[in-house]
Amino acid sequence: MNSWDRILLNTSRGTFEIFVKGEGEPLCVTHHYSEFNETGDYFAETFTNSHKVYLVNLREAGKSEKATEHFQLSMLESIFDLEEIRESLKFEKWGFAGHSTGGMLGIIYGIYFSNSLLFNVIVGSAAREYMTFSENCIYNSQHPQFERMQDLTIKLQRSDLSIENRKELTVERTKLSLFNSSRYQELFSLNIHKKISGTRMNYFNREVQVYDVTRKLVLISTPTIIMCGKYDVQCPIEYSLELNELIPNSKLIVFNRSNHYPFLEEANMFKNELNIFLKENIINCL
């Protein structure tokens, strides 16, 4: 597997570290608190055969700009940064794809800047806080795996972890979100590794408590596909059903043998459904 090309992009809002791979129409991929590197990202890799993917490290992630004010780590400010990146790259429009908290950013992006997007791919995500009211969520205290997930997440934020310990903890954490945990080695076989930005995650853990943009979903006008595993324990399927109900002209695809990673667990179906969606919608956006 080829590595990703790294660029440092200077913008009026600061310098951002971006990893680029693929050919075709431009597509932005990011995650709210992941820290990417030249090995890329499993979700982003899904799109490199059809698009030129720009994998963005947000503020406080990797070598990207630091935050001088706490509010600069918010979802909305992150979208302002992505818009400045788009303009600095001189794209009139680009696509966006987000998984999990990356999908939340895609939702905010669609609400405020649909005119900047060719299309929007939202995978395993939600338009409001998803822990308190769903016992199907692994971050809900009533979920049987709640305590273990909390412990693993906290440990992974430590900066003094050895590479081997970080790998072991990451594997265990990921297995909690697979439909069939025995497939881990098969699904995650590439030399891809990334970190968590503790600074960004800590801010997100506060912001998500008041996160609810459901009443603004009607403002999204860009073509949007919502994709979710039927057994998603991180952002349970009821939140994807809600997105599909409230976003105008959206399309929902449910993966019946997937948890939080349908783009790996049912990779062929994921790519086929994505291609159908793009063929149906992209011509009207160019």
Side-chain angles (χ1 to χ4, degrees), residues 140-168:
N140 182 291
S141 60
Q142 299 305 308
H143 192 279
Q145 298 288 349
F146 170 77
E147 294 291 346
R148 187 54 185 154
M149 176 61 92
Q150 292 297 108
D151 181 54
L152 290 168
T153 301
I154 291 170
K155 287 180 178 177
L156 281 167
Q157 293 184 56
R158 291 174 48 182
S159 59
D160 61 342
L161 277 179
S162 69
I163 295 176
E164 190 59 35
N165 283 343
R166 183 177 298 279
K167 181 179 179 180
E168 291 175 359

Side-chain angles (χ1 to χ4, degrees), residues 70-88:
H70 291 303
F71 71 84
Q72 291 176 319
L73 299 173
S74 70
M75 295 186 202
L76 186 56
E77 284 291 319
S78 297
I79 297 306
F80 292 156
D81 287 340
L82 291 179
E83 269 294 272
E84 184 61 32
I85 290 170
R86 178 188 62 80
E87 292 182 0
S88 297

